[in-house]
């Protein structure tokens, strides 16, 4: 499988885990995020899950 070039920026929101590995949603409802470059939203989601080790709740493309 050929690797696609990372040409677009994405912001990926995720649900963090506590020290025991359980999901620990924020009390305020705000989700932390990572910002990265990927070829498309699906690649961004996979990369964000790999980087954070947490479930990703939303991926948005950053225009600009």
């Amino acid at each position: 499988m050929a690797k696609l070039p990372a040409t677009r920026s994405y912001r990926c929101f995720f649900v963090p885990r506590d020290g025991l590995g359980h999901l620990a949603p924020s009390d305020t409802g705000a989700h932390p995020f990572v910002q990265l470059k990927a070829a498309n939203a699906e690649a961004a989601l996979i990369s964000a899950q790999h980087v954070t080790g947490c479930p990703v709740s939303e991926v948005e493309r950053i225009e600009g």
Side-chain angles (χ1 to χ4, degrees):
M1 181 189 215
K3 188 172 182 180
L4 298 174
T7 58
R8 296 187 174 138
S9 294
Y10 291 89
R11 185 173 292 132
C12 303
F13 295 88
F14 64 94
V15 180
R17 296 183 184 273
D18 64 14
L20 299 173
H22 300 105
L23 295 179
S26 168
D27 293 336
T28 64
H31 289 221
F33 65 88
V34 293
Q35 192 167 311
L36 45 87
K37 289 193 177 277
N40 56 45
E42 183 179 1
L45 182 134
I46 292 167
S47 294
Q49 288 176 333
H50 178 74
V51 168
T52 64
C54 299
V56 174
S57 59
E58 182 181 349
V59 175
E60 62 183 32
R61 190 167 116 188
I62 301 170
E63 299 291 331

